[in-house]
Amino acid sequence: MKQLTINPLKFRMNKAFAVLLATLVFNAPHLILAQTAEEEIVTLSEYVVETSDDKGYGVAHSIGTTRTNTRLIDIPQTISVITDEFIEDTGAVNYIDAAEYMSGISRQVIEDRFLIRGRSASGTFTDGIPDYNDSEHGTNPVLYQRVEFLKGPSAIVYGSHSSGGIVNRVRKAPQFVAAASVSGSIGSHDWYGFDADITGPLGKHFAYRVIGSFLDHKGDHPSFFRERKGVFPMLTWTPSDKTIVRFVGEFTSDERWWYKGHHMVLRDENGRFSSDSQTTEKVLGWTWSAAPSTTNYENDKEAYRISWEQQIGDNLRFNAVLNRRTWIHDRPELVPRGINSDNETVNRLFRNILREDTSVTQALDISYKFEAGPTKHRLLAILQYVRRDFFDLWYQNSFIDGTAQINIFDPISTYEFELFADGDPFLSRNRQTENDTFNISFQDEIKMFDERLIVVGGARYDSFDRRFDDFLRVGEETADSGDQWTYKAGVVGKIRDDISIYFNFAQTFSPNFSFQPDGTPLKPLIGEVNEIGIKTALWEGAVNLQLAFYDLVDKNISGPHPNPDLSAAGWRAQSDHRSMEGVEIDMNLVLFNNWRIMTSGHFISVDQSNNRVQRSWPKQKYGFFTRYDFTSGPLDGLQIGGGGFYTGSIPGDGGNSFFYGRYWHFDALVRYRLNEHTSFTLNVTNVANERYFNRGINRNIIIVNDPRFVKFKATYTW
């Protein structure tokens, strides 16, 4: 095993792709006109989601828990979906901004990191393949046609993850019909952006797509400071009507201000921290942070994917995928160590975190359809192998005693200091982890009684190995392994073709690589859900409703042993469990074909010994958004819309020692379509300019929301 040595890693986009993007933007009309009128090959893909039946903000199909293109109403699981149209209408920069309107989803600490049903959404996938770490820097929504939130366990298809659910992003794909779109945007707080999306045929058997994006946003608010750019080339080859080969490349670079210690809880008159203590909301400005803007951090990603989808006969289809992804993270940060008893000064620690995460995924999905008497079956078999290498280096200065203080009332004069004045930086962490995961799963979808009853069941076996090396500690090398079975069973009963009721039982797990002092391994964390619900797609999808009631249970939660002597010796107990019951509703309406409305809401109750709620998770949340299109008269071409969401009080830390207050957030939209090619859009987020806290890590690191933001965007399509 080689040891990684990382200099401050700064890789940029491949210049060849930047040149390619510029060439396509300025020559796209000529490229499109030069295409021949040859007969197109029309292929129907089971592994590409169908969107032609979508209405407004509602969707008709998902690749969801079946990993194949399936009607949403036929899936026995709660799935919330946000479309590219909804992301565009809300003016979202990262898709968490749009997902805040959905039920059962909440923003976690940074960027596109989610809580789903009160559990961290540790599983992030792109087109069904693991795609880790994008959540650190915020995923560019221009790349995706939709984002699916699969709520509850989905281990049969997606492997180990938290019990709350997973996020699956669905990429846009090359089209055999020529089309192009370019847009430029300007906004408040020094916002400048440019996007280009060009697709079309290259002869009879090939289609391409190139998406490029650039964003420069260096306003005075901590979360506004960023520069993001990316190029995404894609190619589809259809040598026959039964074969589809796809290539996808992804090159992104993102630089941001890491706004650690944005706000904090102050001490009360007795010098104690409590939920009643005054917070800096009352004494500090919106743009205050414990770190200056010089502590920028970078995330760079490079990914390649090739897939081969093959139809064999009328009933057998397979999809083979090879995906390689590298993520590089360079994060200098000033970490607040807590406010002092004077309620004025804060100690800080400087460190530089360098990480490299590389994964290679090989997957084979096999779908086979057959009939047995009065029943129709669709068998799904998945084999997947993932190799992941993770390097983690921390450089730290010698201020470990808490020097480099800052005065919260006079931060400018105390922001800067000589980082390594007391000597050279030293390496405080140097670790490498290697993970190998192999799994195989089977699932059968059975339709009977003229497809009025659908039964889904399956099982999955996962085997995992890990090797961990700590190069700063001699002999600190561990290797461990394990395996786990998980199961799923679901039923869909269709009252009509557009109304269904469903029941779902599903499991997931998270590997536990810890051991008891005697060498006995701890059991994996098991998550289980029992849920029932109703779904509708009335009036050809004009009324999409999803109502769910669920009971989510986590088992084998590890904690200190109740015997203090055993606990002191390192023993752990896994007898605890936590349970949560919840209700969720999502509804999308399309009225008169030009008025779309979405509403959502969730409520939870917690059943566990300490009655604690996950940090950053509100027990209540409600949202709505609407858009009305004028289609005649003097206002023809005008679209107006807006919405808001309400969030109840939110625990500020894992111990629920303090809470953020409830709040409302409102956004507005005005768009004018000058003609079929040109449109102008005005988005205003946080219209009321309300100031609230919506996430954090502990009482020393609390993040305030963004102030009012105005963005104007011009788009030209052809």
Side-chain angles (χ1 to χ4, degrees), residues 92 102 120 123 153 176 275 307 400 421 436 447 461 466 469 575 604:
M102 315 302 289
S120 177
F176 279 91
S275 58
S307 65
I400 56 175
D436 292 278
K447 296 182 177 180
Y461 173 76
R466 186 186 77 154
D469 286 282
S575 57
I604 67 166

Side-chain angles (χ1 to χ4, degrees), residues 99-119:
E100 288 267 48
Y101 281 92
M102 315 302 289
S103 71
I105 301 168
S106 184
R107 185 190 300 263
Q108 209 171 5
V109 180
I110 50 175
E111 293 302 336
D112 290 345
R113 183 167 290 177
F114 300 90
L115 290 172
I116 302 179
R117 291 183 172 175
R119 306 290 186 259

